[in-house]
Amino acid sequence: QVQLVESGGGLVQPGGSLRLSCAASGRAFNNGAAGWFRQAPGKEREFVGSISRSGMTYLANAVKGRFTVSRDNANSMVFLQMDSLRPEDTAVYYCAVSSTYQLRTADEKRFDNWGQGTQVTVSW
């Protein structure tokens, strides 16, 4: 089992940047892929980006070129760097980690460990 705690959310103006961090505890972190998902009010949770155990990344079309996913296995951390933020990026962002699945994926069913979420609001 992996426990996840996100941080770094907040209020930012359009065009600004935020960096989300996800701290993981538990031995299984380095075994599998990690990912970020988000859920806006009234909408279903959607895929943002993922990173394989070896560091290969996969981003949703809506954020490609603006967001970057990275991981630091030595310190059990996952990051989401968000640049050129837009109002439509406003959502609760969730970190997820798979205990067993190693490849980058947009399928949230592959992830069996989830954080509590952190709010990101993009507004003037």
Side-chain angles (χ1 to χ4, degrees):
Q1 192 72 15
V2 179
Q3 290 76 46
L4 304 173
V5 178
E6 301 100 333
S7 62
L11 174 64
V12 63
Q13 293 182 351
S17 297
L18 281 176
R19 187 189 195 210
L20 304 184
S21 299
C22 176
S25 60
R27 296 180 183 179
F29 173 79
N30 288 339
N31 291 345
W36 289 93
F37 294 79
R38 67 186 182 186
Q39 187 168 22
K43 294 187 177 181
E44 294 188 355
R45 188 162 60 190
E46 65 175 3
F47 169 73
V48 176
S50 66
I51 184 166
S52 69
R53 180 174 178 266
S54 63
M56 299 294 288
T57 61
Y58 174 36
L59 291 165
N61 287 336
V63 304
K64 201 171 294 184
R66 301 187 297 122
F67 290 13
T68 303
V69 182
S70 60
R71 67 189 294 167
D72 177 356
N73 287 340
N75 293 297
S76 299
M77 298 285 294
V78 185
F79 305 99
L80 181 66
Q81 177 66 42
M82 304 186 294
D83 298 319
S84 301
L85 282 160
R86 304 168 181 169
E88 54 263 38
D89 294 319
T90 295
V92 177
Y93 283 71
Y94 297 91
C95 172
V97 168
S98 174
S99 298
T100 57
Y101 191 75
Q102 298 184 359
L103 304 178
R104 51 188 174 174
T105 178
D107 184 358
E108 64 175 66
K109 296 183 183 64
R110 294 287 190 179
F111 297 97
D112 52 345
N113 301 281
W114 292 82
Q116 82 289 350
T118 186
Q119 176 70 46
V120 171
T121 302
V122 185
S123 175
W124 293 109

